[in-house]
Amino acid sequence: MIFDRACSPAARTASLMLRVTIAACALLAFSVAGAQKPDAPPQTHYVPGPAFDTSSINATADPCNDFYQYACGNFAANHPIPGDQSGVDQFYVLYNVNTQELNGILTKYAAPSPSRTVNEQKIGDNYAA
């Protein structure tokens, strides 16, 4: 940018990070939108997890000896690692919930309906294309 020369190195770094974040979000939005056709139903129904997931606690483990096993012992059993992923964490679960919600919105707007607004029609037609 023209103004980058007048900015401090910290401001340039923040500006670059903002641009990279915006580009990554746009890329994610386009990849999510084109990942699945509107006529195909979602493969799995994901449920948002609670902020504090008590089902991940392994009450049989002694927290004095192995606190990690006590606090997160059941998470791996409740969330198996898919074959196409290297691991699963709470952010992966959140990603799946968000992807499912976005797919539901796009699928709803892709269905022809006279009650759609102009923006909903544009979004739905672009998704269905």
Side-chain angles (χ1 to χ4, degrees), residues 80-93:
I81 299 173
D84 62 339
Q85 299 292 323
S86 62
V88 173
D89 59 4
Q90 291 179 337
F91 294 109
Y92 178 76
V93 174

Side-chain angles (χ1 to χ4, degrees), residues 37-128:
K37 295 294 181 187
D39 56 320
Q43 299 288 329
T44 307
H45 181 71
Y46 295 101
V47 179
F52 182 73
D53 189 7
T54 56
S55 68
S56 293
I57 295 176
N58 183 0
T60 61
D62 182 15
C64 296
N65 293 332
D66 189 357
F67 188 75
Y68 178 81
Q69 182 62 31
Y70 170 75
C72 304
N74 290 337
F75 185 84
N78 295 340
H79 303 92
I81 299 173
D84 62 339
Q85 299 292 323
S86 62
V88 173
D89 59 4
Q90 291 179 337
F91 294 109
Y92 178 76
V93 174
L94 181 63
Y95 168 79
N96 284 333
V97 170
N98 287 339
T99 302
Q100 175 181 297
E101 289 297 317
L102 287 173
N103 186 34
I105 292 168
L106 292 172
T107 303
K108 181 177 90 173
Y109 290 163
S113 171
S115 63
R116 292 189 300 176
T117 65
V118 173
N119 288 334
E120 290 172 353
Q121 184 177 4
K122 288 179 184 177
I123 292 168
D125 292 347
N126 188 21
Y127 179 66

